[in-house]
Amino acid sequence: MGICDGRVVVITGAGRGLGRAHALAYAAHGAAVVVNDVGASLSGEGRDDSPAEDVVAEITSLGGRAVVNGDDVSDWDGAGRMIAQAIDTFGGLDTLVCNAGIVRDRMIVNMSVDEWDGVIRVHLRGMFCPVRQAVDHWRAMSKAGTPVAARIVTTSSGAGLFGSVSQANYSAAKAGIAAFTVVAAAELSRYGIAVNGIAPSARSRMTEEAFAEMMRAPQSGFDAMDPANVSPLVVWLGSAPCHVTGQMFEISGDQLSIAEGWQHGAVFDKGTRFEPDEIGAIVSDLERESRQATPVYGA
Ligand code: NAD
């Protein structure tokens, strides 16, 4: 018995890297999988169905069930086709894993508006479109009185939670995904939909050059940066037994934690409106009383 026996899962960006590992893991745990991937370059250019086709071939050769979807996650109609394909092919939809992503790293002083827009589009619009299409399906089921145990897993990043130098576009997108995750969890629980996110760390084409030393596979022993190490959490978050919603998990090799997120800090209560020239001293006191933020990566 697999933890996802009988479930139908859509995974975006599942032709390579983490998404591929998630697709193989879901299939191994009993799910039927829609392997979505547009087959783009790391910066989001071009199309190629072969990465998704290879993953589907790998799953089916192991006795699992999977189909290719080549739609662009940030295309509204394409996202609709992806969700409809799951329902038409496998008879339903239980879990959506939003994983597709690109990077266009640049310092802000050199970043073009296209580099900004491309990254924001794939990560944020590319999460919203499939979520919105899937939620339509689950909300209709819920209103018809059919029990729903739907799950959405979003993919943020340490860059989104803490910031990352030369990745302002990506960090902003991933912070947006973290915020969306808690709002979606709050709005959608009434329909039986749980929404959680991950901030993973693993070897893929996105990281193997930028963090070469950290990502290198060891000669022997536990290969902490194998993307397959992230997938057990993602499979559990997409399963019916998952009992949490609105959480953001950091996962790296054998390390799992819940990110604590923004919190209200110490409050100075003046009792009336502040004057600009008194604020500096008050802020110094508040800084002393507040927890230090995790440093921005690369700062
Ligand atoms: P990857 O480049 O190996 O995989 C991303 C996949 O998304 C690619 O196969 C690509 O073709 C696909 N894709 C891109 N644009 C798409 C679109 N518009 N529609 C459909 N598919 C599209 O990278 P990865 O490291 O496996 O990244 C997976 C996710 O994890 C991304 O969201 C990434 O930002 C996030 N992430 C990765 C790490 C890490 O350590 N690898 C860390 C933090 C977050």
Side-chain angles (χ1 to χ4, degrees):
M1 281 283 286
I3 195 173
C4 284
D5 269 348
R7 288 179 78 80
V8 179
V9 182
V10 172
I11 307 173
T12 70
R16 299 188 183 88
L18 284 160
R20 171 183 172 276
H22 303 338
L24 292 168
Y26 269 107
H29 287 86
V33 185
V34 175
V35 177
N36 159 266
D37 205 299
V38 81
S41 70
L42 186 54
S43 55
E45 276 101 23
R47 295 188 79 106
D48 178 7
D49 277 348
S50 65
E53 286 169 354
D54 290 349
V55 174
V56 168
E58 207 172 337
I59 290 173
T60 50
S61 73
L62 294 166
R65 293 183 302 153
V67 287
V68 173
N69 174 279
D71 281 301
D72 176 346
V73 280
S74 62
D75 178 71
W76 172 248
D77 294 334
R81 282 192 294 273
M82 186 194 311
I83 300 304
Q85 189 177 353
I87 297 161
D88 296 346
T89 311
F90 298 121
L93 175 68
D94 300 288
T95 296
L96 169 65
V97 180
C98 296
N99 164 82
I102 63 168
V103 284
R104 294 181 182 176
D105 294 355
R106 199 82 65 193
M107 292 300 217
I108 293 167
V109 292
N110 292 319
M111 189 176 288
S112 71
V113 76
D114 284 345
E115 286 165 341
W116 175 268
D117 284 346
V119 169
I120 297 291
R121 181 179 174 93
V122 171
H123 288 278
L124 280 177
R125 192 182 156 100
M127 172 189 59
F128 173 74
C129 292
V131 165
R132 179 68 177 75
Q133 299 276 11
V135 161
D136 264 4
H137 170 69
W138 290 324
R139 183 164 168 265
M141 280 175 66
S142 169
K143 284 190 179 283
T146 309
V148 175
R151 308 285 180 254
I152 297 171
V153 186
T154 64
T155 307
S156 183
S157 165
L161 305 182
F162 312 116
S164 176
V165 168
S166 82
Q167 294 193 304
N169 48 2
Y170 181 78
S171 300
K174 291 303 200 185
I177 288 172
F180 180 90
T181 302
V182 294
V183 175
E187 289 187 6
L188 300 176
S189 63
R190 75 193 70 172
Y191 305 114
I193 307 168
V195 190
N196 294 284
I198 63 162
S201 187
R203 187 171 53 247
S204 74
R205 66 179 185 172
M206 202 177 271
T207 54
E208 61 195 350
E209 279 177 30
F211 309 101
E213 190 57 36
M214 178 184 166
M215 293 297 157
R216 190 165 296 131
Q219 299 279 344
S220 60
F222 181 54
D223 178 7
M225 290 299 130
D226 184 339
N229 297 330
V230 175
S231 302
L233 170 67
V234 175
V235 168
W236 180 74
L237 290 173
S239 72
C242 169
H243 64 275
V244 296
T245 193
Q247 297 287 10
M248 178 59 63
F249 294 89
E250 288 188 86
I251 172 95
S252 173
D254 54 359
Q255 310 279 305
L256 173 63
S257 61
I258 294 178
E260 291 180 5
W262 291 98
Q263 298 288 343
H264 295 294
V267 176
F268 180 92
D269 183 352
K270 183 180 171 189
T272 187
R273 182 183 299 164
F274 294 102
E275 295 298 332
D277 59 5
E278 66 188 358
I279 288 189
I282 295 168
V283 167
S284 294
D285 287 344
L286 289 176
E287 277 185 307
R288 273 189 291 279
E289 291 172 47
S290 301
R291 214 150 50 115
Q292 288 280 310
T294 302
V296 171
Y297 293 159

